[in-house]
Amino acid sequence: MSDLFLLLLIIVLLLCLVVTVGGLLLYSGVLSDIVIKTGPPPIRNVTIAYKFKEGPYKDCGAAYTESCSIGPKLNAIGVFYDDPKQRPPEKCRYVVGSILCEGEEKPNEDLQKLYEKFGFNVFSMPDVSHAVTTSFPCTTPLSHVLGPYRVYPRIASYIEERKLCAFPTIEIYSSDVINYMVPLSRQTDFFVPEMKEEVRTDVKEEDSDDDRGTDITGADSHSDVSSVSGGVPWDSRETSLAVSTAASMASSLPLRDVLDASEDLKYRDHSDRGSNDSVGSGSSFEELDMDQEELGGGEERVKKEYGEEEDYPEGEGGAREGAELAAEKKEHLGEGEE
């Protein structure tokens, strides 16, 4: 009988534990409706005290605790710059801190100096008109864990379906709600100086890697242009090199055809001249001197006909007369050669 009583007691305790855990999860927002929308952001033109961190996002709790311990009445904020699916977790960059003021307000100088004393920096975020936003209830410490698991997949699907350019992800913690926003404009203005320096370093490293890769292939190191978000994949680089090589080969074909055509014309000219002329083949220099002398004699005969100081005829009639003179000149040259 006592054994049965103990078994029932254990079952009742287990049921109470399950109900308690379930109630805690419900109260923490595990089944809360997540509504994603595009509209005005929950904050505008805020000044924050922050610390820049690099590492897994799950380790940001200590930084939140430190920030809230300095200003317990201030709203906490976190800015997460990288996607853990695209960048190694240990290299993900983020900012954690507190909101000192919003809008036209000025931050409390004493509180700002206190944050700076503990190694925090001060940064002002821009005012944007539109952002992807949503919220999650902040009722228990468990809400900070449940929120990302419930919200981030929905935000990612919303942005992907609508093909939006939205980054970085910002979390704002108040006493009863966690607001999430992803700006749709002026995104890089949300980059703190440390993040901007990191981006410059990444771009320089990618450019140096590209230069080394193109030096190996023997191509121009400045042939590709990369954006800040990332370098050009090697596949696309190889494709661009192949296309440029094919284009250069294709462009050289017409030039080769022109050169061949000019050689053919020269060959025909020489063959026609050889068929009409009975002079044997001498050196090229002798033929050149002979042509110059004959041209000189022809010019003298033309000057005698028109006068030394008289200009050649101009206009359409002059063109016809010039053509006739050229024909006569050729005849004189042919007679001279004979």
Side-chain angles (χ1 to χ4, degrees), residues 240-262:
S240 63
L241 289 174
V243 171
S244 63
T245 304
S248 64
M249 292 176 64
S251 63
S252 66
L253 289 177
L255 180 60
R256 187 181 299 123
D257 294 340
V258 171
L259 293 175
D260 293 341
S262 63

Side-chain angles (χ1 to χ4, degrees), residues 18 23 48 63 95 121-122 140 163 202 205 243 251 295:
V18 170
I48 65 171
V95 159
N121 298 316
V122 178
T140 68
K163 302 185 185 305
D202 290 346
E205 290 177 355
V243 171
S251 63
L295 288 174

Side-chain angles (χ1 to χ4, degrees), residues 204-282:
K204 289 180 180 179
E205 290 177 355
E206 290 173 357
D207 290 343
S208 62
D209 292 341
D210 292 345
D211 292 341
R212 286 194 293 270
T214 52
D215 288 341
I216 293 173
T217 58
D220 185 4
S221 60
H222 300 287
S223 59
D224 291 339
V225 178
S226 61
S227 63
V228 175
S229 60
V232 179
W234 282 109
D235 292 341
S236 62
R237 173 178 290 278
E238 292 173 355
T239 303
S240 63
L241 289 174
V243 171
S244 63
T245 304
S248 64
M249 292 176 64
S251 63
S252 66
L253 289 177
L255 180 60
R256 187 181 299 123
D257 294 340
V258 171
L259 293 175
D260 293 341
S262 63
E263 293 294 334
D264 292 341
L265 290 175
K266 290 181 180 178
Y267 177 76
R268 292 195 201 101
D269 188 17
H270 286 297
S271 62
D272 293 340
R273 183 179 297 174
S275 62
N276 294 329
D277 298 340
S278 61
V279 180
S281 61

